[in-house]
């Protein structure tokens, strides 16, 4: 009697039913997670970013802060406003992106005119110098042409186009994200 023994070859580890089942579950889980992020309302990220921006903007300066601390706070605030407005003008919802762009341009106009006068509002040392010059009366010697330009920038901040953009942005923030956004181009 000859015995014909068959040897059973075991399947490679990656082809075993348990491994295939686990791999299948992982693939489905990753796919579901991926679809979640792909299908997630893009306004969710916008709202999160807007809320973080608003929260940072609501931070206040201690009333007894020294000039250096105040200057740093103010320059950081200007930088944060510029960065946020620029980001939202590029990545915000389509229906308010142009409004953010206009708001960003208006902020850039203000920063630019101050730079031309000699004060970089994004630099704490320059803001500190501005405060010192304001107190000492050194601002009285500003070139009349730059004074005119500054007045034009101020007028643009208060014009109907700027006001409409701010209204659109703040209304959208409330409707879309339930955020009471404090945003203004008002110079008063």
């Amino acid at each position: 009697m000859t015995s014909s023994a068959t040897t059973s070859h075991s399947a490679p580890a990656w082809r075993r039913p348990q491994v295939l089942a686990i791999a299948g579950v992982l693939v489905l889980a990753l796919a579901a997670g991926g679809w979640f992020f792909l299908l997630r309302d893009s306004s969710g990220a916008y709202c999160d970013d807007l809320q973080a921006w608003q929260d940072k903007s609501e931070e206040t300066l201690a009333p007894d802060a020294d000039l250096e601390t105040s200057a740093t706070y103010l320059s950081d605030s200007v930088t944060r406003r510029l960065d946020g407005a620029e980001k939202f003008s590029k990545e915000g919802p389509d229906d308010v992106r142009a409004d953010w762009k206009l708001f960003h341009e208006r902020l850039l106009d203000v920063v630019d005119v101050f730079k031309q006068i000699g004060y970089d509002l994004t630099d704490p040392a320059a803001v500190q110098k501005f405060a010192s010059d304001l107190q000492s009366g050194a601002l009285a010697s500003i070139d009349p042409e730059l004074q005119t330009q500054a007045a034009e920038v101020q007028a643009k901040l208060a014009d109907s186009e700027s006001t409409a953009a701010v209204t659109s942005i703040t209304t959208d923030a409330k409707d879309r994200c339930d955020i009471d956004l404090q945003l203004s181009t008002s110079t008063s």
Side-chain angles (χ1 to χ4, degrees):
M1 185 178 235
T2 60
S3 120
S4 103
T6 54
T7 58
S8 101
H9 296 286
S10 64
W14 61 271
R15 292 188 64 191
R16 290 190 182 140
Q18 302 91 332
V19 173
L20 290 174
I22 292 170
V25 169
L26 287 174
V27 167
L28 288 174
L30 291 173
W35 279 109
F36 170 76
F37 286 108
L38 289 174
L39 296 176
R40 182 180 126 172
D41 182 2
S42 63
S43 67
Y46 169 73
C47 291
D48 292 345
D49 291 346
L50 193 59
Q51 184 64 58
W53 189 65
Q54 175 74 358
D55 291 346
K56 191 71 176 165
S57 296
E58 288 178 348
E59 291 179 357
T60 58
L61 185 63
D64 61 346
D66 62 11
L67 183 58
E68 183 178 348
T69 303
S70 299
T72 300
Y73 172 82
L74 291 172
S75 67
D76 287 350
S77 178
V78 169
T79 300
R80 187 174 42 260
R81 287 262 180 194
L82 285 170
D83 291 348
E86 180 180 28
K87 176 182 178 151
F88 301 139
S89 74
K90 294 176 180 176
E91 300 171 11
D94 291 340
D95 48 338
V96 290
R97 199 173 292 159
D99 298 311
W100 276 112
K101 185 175 192 288
L102 179 70
F103 182 71
H104 182 242
E105 289 169 355
R106 295 297 195 251
L107 292 177
L108 286 173
D109 289 344
V110 171
V111 170
D112 184 54
V113 77
F114 269 87
K115 277 184 184 174
Q116 290 180 44
I117 293 170
Y119 306 101
D120 180 354
L121 295 179
T122 63
D123 175 25
V127 172
Q128 191 170 350
K129 183 174 179 352
F130 173 72
S132 295
D133 290 352
L134 186 62
Q135 286 177 337
S136 71
L139 288 178
S141 62
I142 296 174
D143 179 336
E145 188 175 312
L146 288 175
Q147 287 180 359
T148 300
Q149 189 175 349
E152 289 169 0
V153 166
Q154 185 176 2
K156 284 170 67 175
L157 287 172
D159 71 11
S160 61
E161 187 179 25
S162 295
T163 304
V166 166
T167 300
S168 178
I169 292 168
T170 56
T171 300
D172 179 75
K174 181 64 175 169
D175 294 346
R176 182 184 311 267
C177 306
D178 197 27
I179 296 173
D180 292 318
L181 188 63
Q182 301 300 312
L183 194 65
S184 174
T185 55
S186 172
T187 56
S188 56

